[in-house]
Amino acid sequence: MSDVSEAAPAGPAGPGTAAAPEAAGGAGGTDGAAPVRSALDLKANRLFAGAVVRKDLVKAVKGNAIVPSYVLEYLLGQYAASDDEATIRAGIDTVRRILADHYVHRNQSELVKSTIRERGRHRIIDRVTVTLNEKDDVYEAEFANLGVKGVPVEPATVKAHPKLLVGGVWCICDIEYFHSSELRAVPWILGSLKPIQLSNFDVDGYLAARREFTTDEWIDLLVQSVGFDPALFGKRAKLLQLARLVPFAERNYNLVELGPKGTGKSHVFSEFSPHGMLVSGGEVTVPKLFVNNANGRLGLVGYWDVVAFDEFAGRRKRADRALVDILKNYMANKSFSRGVETLGAEASMVFVGNTSHTVPYMLKHSDLFDELPESYHDSAYLDRLHCYLPGWEVDTIRGEMFSRGYGFVVDYIAEVLKSMRSQDFSDRYLRHGLSLSPDISTRDRDGVHKTFSGMMKILHPHGDASLRETEEILRFAIEGRKRVKDQILRIDPTMPGVRFGYLDGDGSWHPVSTLEEDEYPAYYHSRRRAGSHGGPADTGGSADGEAEGTAGEPEATAGPEAAAAVPPARNGSPGEPAPHGEAPLFEGHREFQENQRGVSFGTLLVPYLRGAGRITVTDPYIRQFHQARNLMELLEGIATAKDAADEVEVALVTSESTGGEEKVRKQLEFLLKVREGAAAAGIRLEVSFSGTIHDRSVVTDTGWRILLGRGLDIFQYITGDAFDLATRLQEYRQVRAFGVTYIRDGG
């Protein structure tokens, strides 16, 4: 029979040390065929041998065990941290036996207790919580699933693992049984206890291995470590996922994320790290969180790196005003009072909750903090938040989004992040001559610095970030704080506005805007009635007739990348003047941000194609299904814009698919279907192939030339679900970052 003592080693100490599974026999295999290993998987296994594991294995071994992922990956890290299929199969078999023999299911607790009694000693995996029995002056352990309490614990064990006192820790324990005639004696004896987490790792080896990855490869490896397939995420979506890790790498970091249900907001804080504690927002009290003045016992912030409030939103929820006040002091000063004594702590605070309205609704009627309980809808509390992650940009978690590739064993990456908490990367942007706005407040600057520092630790722990990469992270950090401040200005118009942006080495100013500001400028810059919470927005003009903006917000904050919808289209050639009351078509360049919504071919391209008899579309990548679908949707737009009696010739210039005859066959099949479908609307599609084209464009015989940075492939992945609006309407899809230039030849 397998013995869980084999799972007690410290785990992978760092890259370059291959795991040496001791499992014998068994052909317990994974579910389904083994995935094809990518170049990234091979590289990760080579440079981080023993510290990476295939992420789909957790599901394969979990069964009905209600246990965090980091516990399972701890075990998988001992036996299945390899890219050899035979080793993986044997390792999974061993982990399954360990769970079967030693994990305590609640409904089998009596059977396990009987096993301990009959054998005299048995090893178990359970969640252990320790309390101090003041009456007898002894520490006592409680085993959550075994249902046993009052088990004596040595003070040295508690001193070595103080988290046992707050919230409980998953442990591998030896339990002994010895019955005594003494009435108060507990027959259960704790023989040994080892928390399930990595004890150490090689920092220098980690940093050296990081240098072997490009930034994009590293981001994908981290996304796979979280458990997702990076191929289904855009760059911004990946950064949003990784930003959830910042509280683990940064001391006293205050983060809020509000968004729709099912986007995985709380997953990282409950499953990803043994150093984080997820608590229900309604169950938190001052003694539990900070200190119990009755017995002097420290609360969660004294022992955990991250304390996350789940289900934090809910306007009707009651909140203890005393808790709000002490939270405000702790979030601002990193300290709290214990009677007459002031104590400090390093725990980061995370607040996650669900929204029940869309972003434009909240902006029109209230603000983006609309869902918070009344006591927390307070400008002084909100001003302590360093970053607001836009949860509405994160897709609902679907089965196909989970990765089958290799990622870090979670307790390994958790220890990496913990080791970085003492470091400060907040000024790394100064090396490239970048600087923040000189009039930014200290609190706003701290918010930007902390997010920037945390993201740099995660993405560039070795310190080798280029100017472009540094600017990207700095803009992301500024946006996170700007989202907080702009909403505070709607709640409390008396607060001074801030110009959010940065100066480059040449002294040029780069304003930063939030994505929802660019998508809904009319609602974003409308003023709220002071003191209202959830009431109607005051979207009318000001008393003196001046244009409304966010209270106190300088005009420059919108930024040049604020891209409103393309003006209404008009018929006729480019040389004709615009009819009375109709705006002329825009000429020039526009940039659209990643994850932006409200963009469609109907506003982006179709207005410029009206009246054209021949349209040439040059795009080398019309190969896959979604790319052919994009072409078909453009033709649909042309069909709806033209007169039913007119015919239009569309010439597509693309390149032949690579990767074999089967892919070429599928490409031709897609294009044939598009041509047949368009013919019903009087659109004749001609297709030609070229192996030398690179630039993407749309050119009409009416004189318009449109340069498309990404071609037609501007939309992110959609499910294809018939009941999903994004499937039917492009305006509801998120786009990838792209630019478009409109040129009127001879106009």
Side-chain angles (χ1 to χ4, degrees), residues 481-537:
R481 174 59 188 178
K482 185 180 191 296
R483 186 172 288 107
V484 173
K485 194 58 173 282
D486 284 356
Q487 301 315 302
I488 293 175
L489 292 173
R490 295 166 68 89
I491 298 169
D492 184 1
T494 64
M495 296 191 75
V498 179
R499 293 176 70 235
F500 282 96
Y502 62 95
L503 296 166
D504 62 22
D506 297 328
S508 299
W509 171 249
H510 298 268
V512 174
S513 60
T514 66
L515 190 55
E516 58 273 11
E517 179 180 6
D518 296 340
E519 290 182 321
Y520 313 106
Y523 297 143
Y524 196 91
H525 295 290
S526 63
R527 289 185 179 178
R528 291 247 344 260
R529 292 193 182 101
S532 68
H533 180 32

Side-chain angles (χ1 to χ4, degrees), residues 309-341:
F309 292 65
D310 194 16
E311 300 175 354
F312 183 65
R315 287 172 51 191
R316 296 184 180 180
K317 288 185 177 180
R318 291 189 175 184
D320 183 358
R321 191 68 214 182
L323 175 62
V324 178
D325 291 338
I326 195 171
L327 260 177
K328 284 194 290 189
N329 181 68
Y330 173 75
M331 292 166 65
N333 304 315
K334 312 178 185 72
S335 62
F336 55 94
S337 298
R338 176 182 176 179
V340 296
E341 184 182 8

